[in-house]
């Protein structure tokens, strides 16, 4: 493995891909708060990046011709894995263009090798391991932000419904801000190189228990509607359908139920509970938390 340049030396430059997303935005804010860090906010729509102290940077998985410019001079890079079939190849190609000394933090997912090492998620991780860069892999459980994001469950929850396919399994929901806090440490400190962190919240909750907490926070009863996997994937096609089906198969198998203390071990403070997250979000669940 090539040795990384010290991110603490000079004015370290960090590229955060997916800067408008659930982990990218809080990560960028944490990095900006560190004096002297040059934070590049990667987005396929850079004109809409509006985060104090962050330099909007054109970065699209659809446009490899822009990767050289986006990664020029970076000391570290946070990669939000694109959920598409060619993600392993894209990540490998991006890292070929990235300065050799740059430290890489990849956002993967909990229990990524459930399907064995030939699966899509481990192959995306392998692209990072094989790149020659110093790397850290983050494997988080499901984000609590799916409850506050209008692209996921927010509107259904505020209407009193949580449609999901758990098969009775629990999930150790994690606050994306805790993932960001771990990413920030891993981008800046070489002690995290070569580490794979399975990241979870402090407890695994069944769907009925999750719905109880959502009900209390929403000020109305939220009812779980247990779906089959076929119902969940209905209306999706191609790779999205495959990934959705596999993800819910893994939910039902308990892939996201294992609780770890990695957030506390890396950041020095415990992971946020769902109760605290929801109290922070406040009804009717502000977006962006
Ligand atoms: N959500 C969960 O519970 C969960 C749990 C475990 C793992 N994960 C993994 O975490 C990753 C992020 O998922 P998420 O749902 O939370 O999404 P997200 O980070 O909230 O949003 C996706 C990001 O991708 C960016 N993006 C979209 N099209 C792009 C393109 N063509 N090129 C470059 N960037 C593009 C978007 O920003 P712009 O539009 O600004 O480009 C956005 O910031 C995925 O790999 C997912 O599998 C998610």
């Amino acid at each position: 493995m090539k040795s990384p340049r010290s991110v603490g030396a000079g004015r370290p430059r960090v590229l955060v891909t997916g800067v408008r997303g659930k982990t990218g935005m809080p990560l960028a804010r944490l990095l900006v708060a560190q004096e002297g860090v040059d934070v590049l906010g990667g987005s396929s729509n850079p004109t809409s990046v509006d985060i104090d102290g962050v330099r909007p940077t054109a970065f699209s998985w659809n446009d490899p011709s822009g990767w050289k410019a986006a990664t020029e001079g970076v000391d570290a890079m946070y990669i939000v894995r694109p959920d598409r079939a060619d993600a392993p190849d894209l990540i490998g190609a991006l890292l070929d263009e990235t300065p050799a000394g740059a430290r890489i933090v990849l956002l993967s997912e909990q229990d990524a090798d459930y399907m064995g090492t030939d699966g899509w998620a481990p192959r995306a991780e392998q692209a990072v391991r094989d790149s020659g860069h110093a790397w850290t892999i983050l494997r988080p459980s499901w984000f609590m932000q799916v409850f506050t994001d209008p692209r996921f469950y927010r509107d259904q929850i505020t209407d009193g419904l949580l449609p999901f396919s758990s098969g009775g399994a629990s999930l150790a929901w994690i606050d994306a801000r805790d993932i960001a806090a771990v990413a920030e440490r891993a981008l800046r400190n070489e002690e995290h190189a070569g580490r794979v962190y399975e990241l979870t919240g402090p407890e695994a909750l069944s769907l009925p228990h999750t719905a109880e907490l959502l009900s209390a926070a929403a000020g109305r009863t939220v009812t779980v509607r247990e779906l089959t996997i076929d119902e969940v994937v209905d209306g999706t096609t191609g790779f999205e359908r495959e990934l959705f089906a596999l993800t819910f198969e893994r939910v039902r198998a308990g892939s996201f139920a294992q609780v770890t203390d990695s957030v506390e071990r890396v950041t020095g403070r415990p992971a946020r509970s769902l109760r605290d997250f929801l109290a922070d979000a406040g009804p009717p669940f502000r977006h962006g938390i």
Side-chain angles (χ1 to χ4, degrees):
M1 183 182 295
K2 298 164 196 166
S3 67
R5 274 157 68 185
S6 167
V7 178
R11 186 154 195 256
R13 177 178 295 179
V14 182
L15 172 63
V16 177
T17 70
V19 78
R20 295 196 305 141
K22 298 185 195 68
T23 58
M25 190 172 296
L27 171 59
R29 290 191 173 125
L30 287 173
L31 289 166
V32 165
Q34 303 293 325
E35 198 160 331
V37 180
D38 182 15
V39 185
L40 309 187
S43 169
S44 61
N45 186 3
T47 55
S48 58
V49 174
D50 182 17
I51 308 169
D52 274 353
V54 171
R55 279 207 279 150
T57 300
F59 174 82
S60 173
W61 292 109
N62 296 329
D63 183 16
S65 71
W67 294 350
K68 197 95 195 160
T71 60
E72 192 181 345
V74 300
D75 297 280
M77 175 164 64
Y78 178 65
I79 301 181
V80 174
R81 180 193 62 188
D83 283 347
R84 44 194 271 185
D86 57 356
D89 296 335
L90 288 174
I91 291 169
L94 170 64
L95 291 174
D96 285 347
E97 302 263 331
T98 302
R103 182 174 295 142
I104 305 302
V105 176
L106 174 73
L107 180 64
S108 179
E109 61 189 273
Q110 190 173 14
D111 197 21
D113 33 27
Y114 171 85
M115 290 293 286
T117 52
D118 289 342
W120 169 80
R123 284 191 293 112
E125 294 182 352
Q126 196 59 41
V128 173
R129 294 173 202 265
D130 290 345
S131 70
H133 292 79
W135 55 262
T136 305
I137 290 169
L138 309 185
R139 291 179 164 187
S141 185
W142 275 59
F143 306 169
M144 293 175 185
Q145 276 74 2
V146 298
F147 301 128
T148 55
D149 187 337
R151 293 170 303 164
F152 287 80
Y153 298 112
R154 187 192 68 179
D155 295 342
Q156 287 153 308
I157 289 168
T158 51
D159 285 345
L161 199 64
L162 178 57
F164 204 84
S165 185
S166 78
S170 296
L171 292 97
W173 310 102
I174 182 169
D175 187 333
R177 291 173 295 183
D178 287 333
I179 303 168
V182 172
E184 190 262 337
R185 301 310 196 280
L187 286 164
R188 289 172 50 76
N189 300 303
E190 57 194 40
E191 71 196 75
H192 302 291
R195 307 293 299 271
V196 178
Y197 292 121
E198 301 258 342
L199 301 174
T200 75
E203 58 196 342
L205 300 171
S206 67
L207 256 285
H209 193 170
T210 302
E212 272 172 35
L213 295 172
L214 291 170
S215 301
R220 63 165 300 167
T221 301
V222 176
T223 307
V224 175
R225 188 163 152 240
E226 264 296 332
L227 304 176
T228 63
I229 292 182
D230 280 347
E231 285 171 319
V232 171
V233 301
D234 190 34
T236 59
T237 57
F239 180 74
E240 186 189 10
R241 188 180 179 92
E242 266 173 52
L243 186 60
F244 246 41
L246 175 61
T247 300
F248 280 97
E249 178 189 321
R250 295 176 54 227
V251 167
R252 297 169 74 94
S255 274
F256 303 99
Q258 179 83 38
V259 175
T260 74
D261 63 355
S262 303
V263 169
E264 182 161 11
R265 279 193 289 114
V266 174
T267 67
R269 57 160 185 77
R272 199 177 273 103
S273 69
L274 181 58
R275 188 186 300 274
D276 289 349
F277 169 82
L278 292 170
D280 213 8
F285 307 141
R286 285 198 313 274
H287 182 220
I289 293 185

